[in-house]
Amino acid sequence: MAEILFVMTGADRWTLADGTAHPTGFWADEAVVPYEAFKAAGHRVTVATPGGVVPPVDPASLTAQANGGEENAAAVRAVVAGAPEFRAPVALTDVRLDDFDAVYVPGGHGPMEDLAVDADSGRILTRALASGLPVGVVCHGPAALLAAVEEDGTNAFAGYRITAFTNTEERLAGSADGARWLLQDRLTEAGLKVEAGEPWAPHVVVDRNVVTGQNPASAGRLAAELLKKLS
C-alpha cells in the first residue's frame, strides 16, 4: 500500500488580467478519476492545501456537459462531496514528504492563482523530484511546477519533458484573452519542454519520475502511469 499526497488548490477565484475574479477551484474529474484509481488499487490518499482549507471545486466541472452526461456528473459530485480526504485536508506547511510514496497535483484554474506562487508546494515538489518520487500533474496543475525553484533561482523541472493545458485549448475554452498569463508560455519560459497533443484528446508525457497529462481527458491515463511506477 502506497501513501499518495494530493497537492490541491485552495483558491476559489482566478484573478483575470482586468482584475476581476472568475469562480474556479480544482477540476472535479481530474481529482476524482485518479482518486478512485488509487483507492481501488489499495493505496491511501492524503490531501494537502495552502492553509489546510477544504479544496474548492470549480462549479463548472460538476455539470453534465463537463462529464459526458448527468449520470457521470452525479457520480463525480458524489465523490467530491463524500470522499473524506477532500473534506479534511492538511496544511502544506505540515507535510512531511518522507511519509509519502508519490505526489499528485490535479488542475483547474485554481493552481494558477495559488500553487503557482506557493513556496510550500514548490518545496514539496522540488524535494519529491530530487528524491525520485513519482510526481503526477495534470491540465492546469503544472502551474504548481512554477513554484519549484532551486536556491539559484532556476526551476527544478527545467529540461523535463512535460505536457499541460495548452494555449490552443485555453483559446478554445474562451479563457485566453482574459488571462493574466498562459500556462504553456510560463512553463516554457521557466525552461520546461512542453509537448502539446491534439486539443481535448488524452495526452500523457512521462520523463523519468515525472508524469504529466494535458487536459481532463488525460487524468485516467496519468493515473495508470503513476500506478505502474508504484507497483
Side-chain angles (χ1 to χ4, degrees):
M1 180 178 67
E3 299 283 348
I4 304 174
L5 177 68
F6 274 41
V7 174
M8 297 184 68
T9 183
D12 63 0
R13 294 291 186 271
W14 177 37
T15 306
L16 302 180
D18 64 2
T20 60
H22 178 74
T24 188
F26 70 90
W27 198 257
D29 65 349
E30 294 174 14
V32 169
V33 171
Y35 171 84
E36 292 194 305
F38 298 151
K39 296 286 281 190
H43 302 313
R44 292 180 57 179
V45 169
T46 296
V47 172
T49 64
V53 302
V54 172
V57 62
D58 190 321
S61 71
L62 300 176
T63 64
Q65 181 180 5
N67 291 281
E70 178 54 32
E71 183 177 353
N72 288 341
V76 167
R77 291 194 295 267
V79 176
V80 169
E85 295 89 346
F86 295 150
R87 300 295 94 200
V90 301
L92 288 170
T93 53
D94 296 333
V95 169
R96 292 183 66 258
L97 193 61
D98 293 343
D99 295 337
F100 296 97
D101 303 295
V103 178
Y104 175 67
V105 188
H109 281 115
M112 294 180 69
E113 185 75 14
D114 59 359
L115 298 184
V117 293
D118 189 280
D120 294 308
S121 174
R123 170 184 55 82
I124 290 167
L125 291 167
T126 300
R127 284 197 56 211
L129 182 70
S131 62
L133 293 185
V135 176
V137 196
V138 72
C139 200
H140 291 92
L145 304 182
L146 296 171
V149 180
E150 302 280 12
E151 290 185 2
D152 63 0
T154 61
N155 190 284
F157 291 82
Y160 275 75
R161 296 170 45 249
I162 68 160
T163 190
F165 202 70
T166 64
N167 290 354
T168 298
E169 287 169 317
E170 205 75 81
R171 293 189 184 98
L172 290 172
S175 304
D177 289 342
R180 289 180 296 168
W181 48 271
L182 297 180
L183 182 58
Q184 182 178 354
D185 290 345
R186 191 64 65 86
L187 290 167
T188 300
E189 291 165 4
L192 288 76
K193 300 178 180 179
V194 182
E195 299 182 358
E198 291 297 317
W200 314 124
H203 179 57
V204 171
V205 173
V206 181
D207 187 351
R208 288 159 280 182
N209 56 318
V210 180
V211 184
T212 50
Q214 180 172 313
N215 45 38
S218 306
R221 289 190 184 179
L222 187 151
E225 291 294 337
L226 273 185
L227 285 172
K228 288 179 186 177
K229 291 186 175 295
L230 290 169
S231 61

